[in-house]
Amino acid sequence: MGARWRGWRKRRPFAGGLLMILSGVIMASLVAMPVELMIQTGVGGVSSLMFGGMLVVLGLVTWFTPNQHVITGSLAGFLGLGALVLSNLGGLVIGTLLALVGGGMAFAWRPVARPPRRRGRRHRKQRSHDQAREGVSEEVGEDSAPLPPPGSRFGG
């Protein structure tokens, strides 16, 4: 199980997504109050909950669709900056900093090539494919004329 988890984690921007999720949780948890009271507090309470929820969703999207890392990373950065202005200093600045760092990490992530698999079965297939291709070229070679040299005109 540990090797599968490590492999899954290394094939995606895991740290960036984790920081996005943490920033969203911090922003949303700072305004944990009943909805009626949150509406009375104004735009700060509602926007903190919305920004927090969107950052959590962006972190999950980053994890489960890593090919969208550029979009999710840039959106997390924009949401972090917007939260700084609209939602209680972006979770007391901690949420904004986590969103900016996580978005930057997701944006800058590059996929790592998978390690090569064992050569047993595939190597045999490749060898048989090469042999089949050589047989085809021998059959074609008997019936066809050779190509002219590159400098000659029309082979004559």
Side-chain angles (χ1 to χ4, degrees):
M1 177 74 180
R4 287 181 60 196
W5 165 252
R6 213 172 306 121
W8 183 84
R9 195 182 65 210
K10 289 191 182 277
R11 287 192 308 265
R12 55 201 76 242
F14 184 78
L18 182 65
L19 290 177
M20 285 184 227
I21 292 171
L22 284 174
S23 71
V25 168
I26 287 174
M27 283 184 202
S29 66
L30 288 177
V31 293
M33 60 181 87
V35 177
E36 295 85 17
L37 186 60
M38 189 184 314
I39 292 173
Q40 288 177 358
T41 59
V43 72
V46 176
S47 65
S48 292
L49 199 58
M50 287 176 48
F51 281 124
M54 286 190 281
L55 282 166
V56 168
V57 168
L58 280 175
L60 292 173
V61 167
T62 303
W63 278 355
F64 294 111
T65 57
N67 55 347
Q68 301 294 327
H69 66 96
V70 173
I71 295 168
T72 58
S74 57
L75 285 177
F78 292 138
L79 283 175
L81 288 175
L84 185 64
V85 175
L86 292 174
S87 68
N88 302 330
L89 289 177
L92 301 177
V93 184
I94 297 169
T96 293
L97 290 177
L98 287 174
L100 289 173
V101 171
M105 288 176 73
F107 185 83
W109 175 79
R110 292 290 173 246
V112 176
R114 286 188 174 180
R117 292 187 170 199
R118 287 179 269 155
R119 300 197 72 148
R121 188 174 176 187
R122 186 174 181 191
H123 186 64
R124 276 185 254 133
K125 277 186 175 180
Q126 183 68 26
R127 197 175 330 135
S128 65
H129 179 69
D130 290 342
Q131 289 171 351
R133 201 170 40 181
E134 287 174 8
V136 169
S137 64
E138 290 174 4
E139 293 170 8
V140 172
E142 294 171 359
D143 298 336
S144 63
L147 292 173
S152 67
R153 190 170 206 196
F154 302 109

